[in-house]
């Protein structure tokens, strides 16, 4: 992800997460951090997904991940998550964490396919939903 991608990412962010959208300043701040790696997925000229990794080996976090509803079921989320996990491994991360909305079974299934398991709940983490805390330990989970 580059600065030029930010307007399109913010449009997608506000569409997909109307109650919990990051601000543009938050996203730009993330891009400036040396311990972050952000990627976008494009279809033609359109950004259809994005994802971010925080890495402080041996731990890492999926900071955010989103895919446009128009391309759900086409492997975009899996490709983004694969990129984050590959980057994490290259940077020495062995334990990956994330939070996912308790009312988002589609995302939960994706993370489970990649070997993430629920390890906790953060009550009221999101507007209108709890967060399921998930972890993936390198070598223990599947990787598509």
């Amino acid at each position: 992800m580059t600065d030029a991608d930010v307007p399109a990412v913010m449009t997608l962010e506000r569409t997909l997460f109307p109650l919990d959208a990051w601000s543009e300043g938050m996203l730009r701040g993330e891009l400036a951090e040396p311990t972050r790696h952000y990627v976008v997925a494009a279809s033609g000229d359109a950004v259809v997904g994005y994802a971010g990794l925080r890495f402080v080996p041996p731990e890492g976090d999926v900071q955010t991940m989103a895919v446009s509803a128009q391309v759900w079921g086409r492997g975009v989320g899996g490709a983004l998550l694969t990129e984050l996990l590959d980057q994490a491994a290259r940077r020495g991360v062995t334990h990956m964490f994330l939070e996912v909305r308790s009312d988002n079974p589609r995302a939960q299934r994706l993370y489970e396919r990649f070997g993430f398991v629920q390890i906790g709940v953060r009550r009221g983490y999101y507007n209108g939903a709890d967060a399921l805390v998930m972890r993936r330990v390198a070598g223990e989970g599947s990787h598509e």
Side-chain angles (χ1 to χ4, degrees), residues 60-75:
D61 295 280
V62 174
Q63 295 288 90
T64 187
M65 193 163 108
V67 175
S68 173
Q70 290 96 330
V71 296
W72 283 356
R74 296 187 192 166

Side-chain angles (χ1 to χ4, degrees), residues 46-106:
V47 171
V48 295
Y50 58 92
L53 166 69
R54 174 188 163 273
F55 53 91
V56 183
E59 294 184 355
D61 295 280
V62 174
Q63 295 288 90
T64 187
M65 193 163 108
V67 175
S68 173
Q70 290 96 330
V71 296
W72 283 356
R74 296 187 192 166
V76 175
L80 288 167
L81 189 54
T82 295
E83 170 62 19
L84 293 189
L85 294 173
D86 289 349
Q87 279 291 327
R90 283 195 285 278
R91 296 169 190 273
V93 171
T94 57
H95 290 67
M96 284 287 291
F97 297 88
L98 60 82
E99 290 91 14
V100 61
R101 286 182 69 98
S102 58
D103 59 359
N104 188 346
R106 173 185 291 276

Side-chain angles (χ1 to χ4, degrees), residues 3-67:
D3 281 339
D5 296 316
V6 170
V9 168
M10 289 309 304
T11 297
L12 197 52
E13 173 81 4
R14 291 180 189 115
T15 299
L16 293 169
F17 307 115
L19 299 176
D20 296 303
W22 284 14
S23 69
E24 184 173 329
M26 289 171 65
L27 181 59
R28 289 189 185 278
E30 283 288 297
L31 290 176
E33 288 289 331
T35 59
R36 306 297 195 270
H37 177 78
Y38 278 76
V39 295
V40 295
S43 177
D45 291 336
V47 171
V48 295
Y50 58 92
L53 166 69
R54 174 188 163 273
F55 53 91
V56 183
E59 294 184 355
D61 295 280
V62 174
Q63 295 288 90
T64 187
M65 193 163 108
V67 175

